[in-house]
Structure formats: C-alpha cells, structure tokens
Amino acid sequence: EISNGMLDCVTTLRRALLTFEEDAHGSFLFRGASRSSAFQSKGKLENTTRSVSKMVISSLPSSSDVQDMYQREPNPAFAAAALYSMSPDMHTNEQLDGILSQISEYFSDIVGEALPDPMFRALQICSVMHGMNVVWKTIENAEASDSRSDLFEHAISEIEDWALTYGELAYVAMASLALVVDDSADFLCGLSSIQKAIQDAKDSSMFESDDTKALCTSLVAARLCRAADER
C-alpha cells in the first residue's frame, strides 16, 4: 500500500501544476464552458485562445539551459531536471543506445544522493517516466518497423542490467516503459519480460521501499489490463 505521505505529495504536486497551467493558459481550460457561449451574436466562433504570457515564458529555462546546469553541477535535482527536459526532437538522429547511455548517466546522479523529501522523490519518478517515453518514441520512429520489437527487447535488457547499479530506479524505468508502449502484439513478449523481472525483484526483496514496489506493480498491472482488453 502506498504511504499517505507520498499520496499527499503527489496531490500537492498536481495542484501546483494545475495552478501553473491555469496561470499560463487561462482558467477557461477548467471551466468546461459550453459551445454555445463561444459564439458571438453574428454567429461567428469567438476566439477564446489565450496565449502564454511573455512573463511566464521568460521564467522557464530552455532544455539546453537545463542541460547546461546539469553539466555544471551534476546533482540529483539537476539530473532529474535534465531527464525531464529530454524530448524526442532533441535526439532525432541519435541511436537508442546513445539515449539509454544518456539516461543512465542521469540515473547515476539521481541515486548518488538520497532526497528525503517525498515531493522530490515524486518528481524524480515523473522524470524517469518521461525519459522512458523518449525511449519509446525512439523505438517507435525506428526506420525499419519490423525491428521495433527487437529494439524494445534490447532496451528492456539494458535497463534490467541497470538494477545492479541503480537498484529499484531501474524497475521504475522498466514499468514506465511498459506503460507507454503501444498495443501491438509484437511487444507482448517484452511486456512479459518486464512483468517477470519486476516479480522476481519483489520475490528477491530488491525493492528498497514498499511505495516503489507498489508503484511498479501497479504500472505493469495497468498495462497488462489494457493489453487484455485489446485482445
């Protein structure tokens, strides 16, 4: 069972993100206004688009800025931020192994120093999930579509090896990768490998915390349920 402390922190994080989203894009996103209110008296659709303010944009560092901060000071906070700043567009011409190597470098700094605050831990997990989405997009955009399943299984094998160095963070990565992969039957073998790896980790007491163990189990269970629904 996930502790109340982590749930409280995730709730606080969601509220902070929603507040920022509202400040950036306007409260109309959350009002669910009806279509009828969007029409002017002349029958034309009212333009309700609200651009992000220059103040908000200027307060946000670019991806390259975040990467530079990490290079100057490779600590757990900057490592998580650098991982979160990754995007498929940044790695268009980079091979899967190169992206996995970059993520592994971030992981080495994330696990280098424990962050006791559950909020930071939640952000770290979110950054890992984001990083695995970048991995999946790289696999998805592979030139030869028939090699995608091979790339997927290669990524799983590499990430599973990380468990020897990065502990339970590697299992969070595997479960996150399972969650983002598409519903093609080509990936069922890889999904089974992830399920088995996480189950073996549970049986071998490889997880440092019950929270992380519950998270990984839940992510894989959610993905397998989706696969079962598709069948």
Side-chain angles (χ1 to χ4, degrees):
E1 184 178 353
I2 299 177
S3 68
N4 290 332
M6 177 169 279
L7 290 175
D8 290 343
C9 286
V10 170
T11 300
T12 302
L13 176 61
R14 286 178 58 197
R15 288 173 179 166
L17 291 174
L18 286 172
T19 299
F20 174 78
E21 188 85 2
E22 184 172 355
D23 290 343
H25 299 293
S27 61
F28 68 88
L29 286 175
F30 308 102
R31 287 204 300 265
S34 63
R35 286 179 55 87
S36 60
S37 64
F39 287 92
Q40 295 178 335
S41 58
K42 294 182 179 180
K44 294 182 179 179
L45 183 65
E46 181 183 359
N47 181 12
T48 57
T49 302
R50 176 177 173 180
S51 61
V52 181
S53 70
K54 292 182 179 179
M55 181 178 298
V56 172
I57 294 176
S58 63
S59 69
L60 299 175
S62 67
S63 296
S64 60
D65 290 336
V66 174
Q67 297 292 331
D68 289 343
M69 288 187 287
Y70 167 73
Q71 294 298 329
R72 289 195 300 269
E73 190 176 351
N75 59 36
F78 282 138
L83 183 54
Y84 226 145
S85 73
M86 293 181 72
S87 73
D89 295 337
M90 295 169 58
H91 307 277
T92 303
N93 298 317
E94 192 166 347
Q95 298 297 317
L96 177 62
D97 283 336
I99 294 175
L100 289 171
S101 177
Q102 183 67 66
I103 293 175
S104 177
E105 180 182 348
Y106 296 146
F107 274 25
S108 67
D109 290 304
I110 288 176
V111 302
E113 179 183 346
L115 295 176
D117 192 326
M119 173 69 79
F120 285 117
R121 181 61 177 165
L123 286 170
Q124 284 180 338
I125 290 174
C126 288
S127 71
V128 171
M129 297 177 76
H130 174 78
M132 290 302 104
N133 188 57
V134 173
V135 169
W136 163 244
K137 291 300 182 184
T138 303
I139 295 172
E140 188 178 36
N141 295 329
E143 292 183 1
S145 59
D146 57 354
S147 70
R148 294 196 307 156
S149 59
D150 293 336
L151 289 173
F152 181 53
E153 292 182 23
H154 173 68
I156 294 170
S157 178
E158 289 290 313
I159 296 169
E160 188 172 7
D161 289 343
W162 293 354
L164 298 174
T165 306
Y166 308 134
E168 64 183 14
L169 197 64
Y171 297 112
V172 174
M174 293 179 70
S176 301
L177 183 57
L179 195 64
V180 296
V181 69
D182 71 27
D183 296 323
S184 170
D186 295 338
F187 303 113
L188 291 179
C189 182
L191 290 172
S192 297
S193 298
I194 292 176
Q195 180 189 23
K196 183 179 184 303
I198 290 176
Q199 184 60 52
D200 289 347
K202 290 170 59 180
D203 295 341
S204 304
S205 302
M206 294 292 291
F207 287 97
E208 300 170 17
S209 72
D210 290 337
D211 288 344
T212 307
K213 178 169 63 177
L215 173 68
C216 291
T217 303
S218 300
L219 291 177
V220 172
R223 180 60 185 83
L224 293 177
C225 286
R226 193 176 85 203
D229 290 342
E230 288 296 320
R231 293 198 298 270

